[in-house]
Amino acid sequence: MTVRILALVGSLRAGSHNRQLAEAAAKHAPEGVEVNIFEGLADIPFYNEDIDVEGSAPEAARALRTAIAQADGLLLFSPEYNGTIPAVLKNAIDWASRPMGAGAIVGKPVAVVGTAYGQYGGVWAQDETRKAVGIAGGTVVEEAKLSIPSSVIRFAELHPADDTEVVEGLGKVVDQLVAQSGAAAA
């Protein structure tokens, strides 16, 4: 049986180091684990209950909810924007949390990792992401953490998929998420 992990990347930038981290997680996923990067966060409108009507919610939001529902776990990649979570990632969490108490994220194991330019690797944003996910009903895998500082320097000439330390760190996070996903499925 394949464990399906859905990756959501909180940066829309073409050269995003967080996107590259997600690519590394997908490339180096262990046997029996599939990491798929969700495409389309930029297409999802800001959450608004007036447009979140059963049967007519925006297609992009429905696609996100379906992808989350079909995944065994979520791996969120968060850069840090002004000391907190990027709006696009927060918006995805908001859509995934609805309908309240029964959203696609409810009970879903979630790990949060990321990289940022600063010396702490975006830990504030990642902590805020974990907080939002927990409140939304996701099961935060607290021990699954990876914050990589100085992204612009570290990944200037080396893709994260080719950085042994990063690949090992991502591997540990994926293993922890898979263990929690297995527990959730049992």
Side-chain angles (χ1 to χ4, degrees):
M1 180 176 109
T2 300
V3 176
R4 295 164 312 210
I5 304 297
L6 183 67
L8 303 180
V9 181
S11 174
L12 302 177
R13 189 172 62 84
S16 163
H17 294 121
N18 281 283
R19 171 66 187 221
Q20 292 175 0
L21 277 179
E23 292 167 355
K27 178 179 180 180
H28 294 289
E31 188 174 330
V33 178
E34 185 178 282
V35 176
N36 292 307
I37 302 169
F38 182 80
E39 305 294 347
L41 288 185
D43 301 327
I44 302 171
F46 282 112
Y47 186 78
N48 176 346
E49 282 185 272
D50 290 342
I51 62 172
D52 187 13
V53 178
E54 190 173 338
S56 65
E59 175 56 37
R62 289 194 318 265
L64 173 68
R65 287 173 170 166
T66 298
I68 291 172
Q70 293 173 347
D72 297 308
L74 299 176
L75 183 53
L76 278 50
F77 294 83
S78 184
E80 190 166 276
Y81 291 177
N82 297 314
T84 194
I85 181 175
V88 69
L89 192 53
K90 175 63 168 69
N91 190 49
I93 293 167
D94 291 345
W95 278 102
S97 73
R98 299 299 197 158
M100 187 174 289
I105 201 169
V106 173
K108 194 75 58 173
V110 183
V112 181
V113 300
T115 187
Y117 177 73
Q119 65 180 333
Y120 301 110
V123 295
W124 289 348
Q126 293 160 33
D127 287 345
E128 289 294 315
T129 303
R130 285 183 195 91
K131 176 180 149 188
V133 163
I135 291 169
T139 302
V140 178
V141 183
E142 290 290 346
E143 65 276 10
K145 295 182 179 180
L146 179 65
S147 300
I148 304 165
S150 307
S151 60
V152 174
I153 297 164
R154 182 161 191 162
F155 303 126
E157 295 180 16
L158 183 67
H159 191 287
D162 300 321
D163 184 315
T164 304
E165 183 182 7
V166 168
V167 170
E168 288 175 8
L170 282 171
K172 287 178 186 175
V173 166
V174 169
D175 287 346
Q176 291 164 323
L177 182 57
V178 167
Q180 189 69 37
S181 297

